[in-house]
């Protein structure tokens, strides 16, 4: 693989733990316990959704062989030569495709960008005609049909493996959508709503799938001062290795956030416990890896729809320990139909999901 590193992150690149009072002002009241939940056990589903909002499920649609194939596809894509990735890159006219971004907040440190690839339905504009019709747009009005998120997927063209990549990603998208429907039905029933109410609000499957690569940080070149001290003190032992699992010594890779989704489903590489959830004590708790399972977290839309019962919790990603190699993940953001009502105010005003989308 082209993403590889073997050196520990130097202390000067590490981000200090955020101010405790700031964390308390942001945190949700929840437990940090993340368990494997049987979707038939509605009490367990309710408990998981209303505490930290994160839980694992065993999907009837996805086994470990599927997960491995999807992660292999992600590794193939992100190992391509730059010219092939640029050829399927997102743009101002089309948000779909490959892109790279810095996931940290101003003032935080990150040693490397995050690479990502975004796809969804091949004709998303057709799924959103009802919503834009309510806003007064005609069905064929190019003012909304040309929006960046309404374009077709951009697939890599890099030899015979390209067709297999496309087939694998489409298969993963469909299986994760089916899993999301199962989760949504269980969540609705768990909070005493009709089981298919949430599924019906998502029946257009107008969702996004994102492949991600968090490349392991590269070795930092020694400074002239480092080389000088090595010359003067060649036999002095090096400082003890820093515990790279310490909460206050990890460089933030993706800043703390909640998801604008109903639910988010995650598949990820083994051996990288770098996803963290903000605990009730104001400390970041690592999310453990579980074989052959799908990680679910409740999003902002579900929190609104449930009146706050389902928690959309703050989470972040810290840097990958260099010795463990790059981390790959497959993320499904399950969105309701654009015209779906996600919240009704006391005065009767309705908020539709399309109203919440920052980029149409």
């Amino acid at each position: 693989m082209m993403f590889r590193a073997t050196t520990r992150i130097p202390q000067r690149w590490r981000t200090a733990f955020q101010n405790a009072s700031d964390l308390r002002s942001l945190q949700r009241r929840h437990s940090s316990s993340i368990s494997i939940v049987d979707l038939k056990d509605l009490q367990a589903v309710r408990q998981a959704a209303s505490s930290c909002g994160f839980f694992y499920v065993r999907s009837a649609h996805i086994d470990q062989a599927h997960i491995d194939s999807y992660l292999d596809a992600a590794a193939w894509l992100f190992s391509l030569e730059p010219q092939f990735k640029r050829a399927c890159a997102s743009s101002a006219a089309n948000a779909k495709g490959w892109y790279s971004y810095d996931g940290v907040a101003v003032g935080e440190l990150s040693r490397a960008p995050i690479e990502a690839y975004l796809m969804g339905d091949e004709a998303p504009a057709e799924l959103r005609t009802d919503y834009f019709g309510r806003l007064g747009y005609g069905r064929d009005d190019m003012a909304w049909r040309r929006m960046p998120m309404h374009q077709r997927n951009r697939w890599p063209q890099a030899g015979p493996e390209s067709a297999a990549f496309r087939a694998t990603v489409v298969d993963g998208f469909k299986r994760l959508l089916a899993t999301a429907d199962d989760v949504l039905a269980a969540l609705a029933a768990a909070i005493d709503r009709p089981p298919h109410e949430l599924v019906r609000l998502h029946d257009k499957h107008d969702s996004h799938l994102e492949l991600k690569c968090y490349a392991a940080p590269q070795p930092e070149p020694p400074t002239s001062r480092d080389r000088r001290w090595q010359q003067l003190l060649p036999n002095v032992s090096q400082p003890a290795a820093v515990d790279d699992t310490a909460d206050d010594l990890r460089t933030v890779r993706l800043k703390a956030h909640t998801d604008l989704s109903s639910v988010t489903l995650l598949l990820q590489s083994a051996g990288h416990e770098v996803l963290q959830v903000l605990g009730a004590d104001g400390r970041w708790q690592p999310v453990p890896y579980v074989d052959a399972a799908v990680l679910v977290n409740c999003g902002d839309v579900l929190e609104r729809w449930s009146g706050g019962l389902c928690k959309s919790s703050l989470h972040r990603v810290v840097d990958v320990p260099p010795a463990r190699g790059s981390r790959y993940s497959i993320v499904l953001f399950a969105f309701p139909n654009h015209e779906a009502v996600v919240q009704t105010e006391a005065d009767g005003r309705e908020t539709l999901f399309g109203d919440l989308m920052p980029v149409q």
Side-chain angles (χ1 to χ4, degrees), residues 167-317:
T168 301
V169 171
V170 169
D171 180 74
F173 186 44
K174 292 179 178 178
R175 290 180 182 275
L176 283 168
L177 286 171
T179 303
D181 282 349
D182 293 344
V183 171
L184 291 167
L187 284 165
I191 59 175
D192 302 320
R193 302 287 285 270
H196 297 292
E197 182 176 358
L198 270 179
V199 176
R200 179 179 55 79
L201 295 177
H202 296 74
D203 61 7
K204 293 182 179 178
H205 288 156
D206 189 5
S207 299
H208 292 159
L209 186 74
E210 193 170 46
L211 284 62
K212 287 189 173 183
C213 173
Y214 296 81
Q218 297 298 313
E220 183 178 347
T223 64
S224 57
R225 182 183 178 187
D226 294 335
R227 286 191 289 268
R228 177 63 175 163
W229 277 107
Q230 289 169 3
Q231 292 170 358
L232 293 174
L233 304 170
N235 298 318
V236 174
S237 61
Q238 297 298 313
V242 176
D243 177 7
D244 63 17
T245 65
D247 202 18
D248 57 342
L249 296 177
R250 303 295 293 277
T251 303
V252 175
R253 197 69 175 273
L254 181 60
K255 64 184 179 182
H257 65 285
T258 58
D259 293 344
L260 181 61
S261 63
S262 296
V263 291
T264 301
L265 274 57
L266 174 73
L267 308 174
Q268 60 181 324
S269 307
H272 296 89
E273 294 189 354
V274 294
L275 175 63
Q276 299 179 338
V277 180
L278 187 62
D281 60 356
R283 291 181 64 83
W284 292 103
Q285 307 294 334
V287 177
Y289 172 83
V290 177
D291 278 327
V294 180
L295 180 64
V296 177
N297 70 273
C298 301
D300 297 345
V301 171
L302 188 62
E303 185 173 77
R304 284 176 178 245
W305 183 82
S306 67
L309 180 59
C310 298
K311 301 301 182 185
S312 179
S313 294
L314 281 165
H315 53 285
R316 70 179 187 180
V317 178

Side-chain angles (χ1 to χ4, degrees), residues 10-30:
Q11 177 66 33
R12 61 181 175 277
W13 279 98
R14 299 179 185 273
T15 303
F17 189 58
Q18 297 182 39
N19 183 276
S21 62
D22 292 337
L23 289 177
R24 293 191 197 97
S25 69
L26 291 172
Q27 71 185 33
R28 303 280 197 254
R29 296 191 179 194
H30 65 262

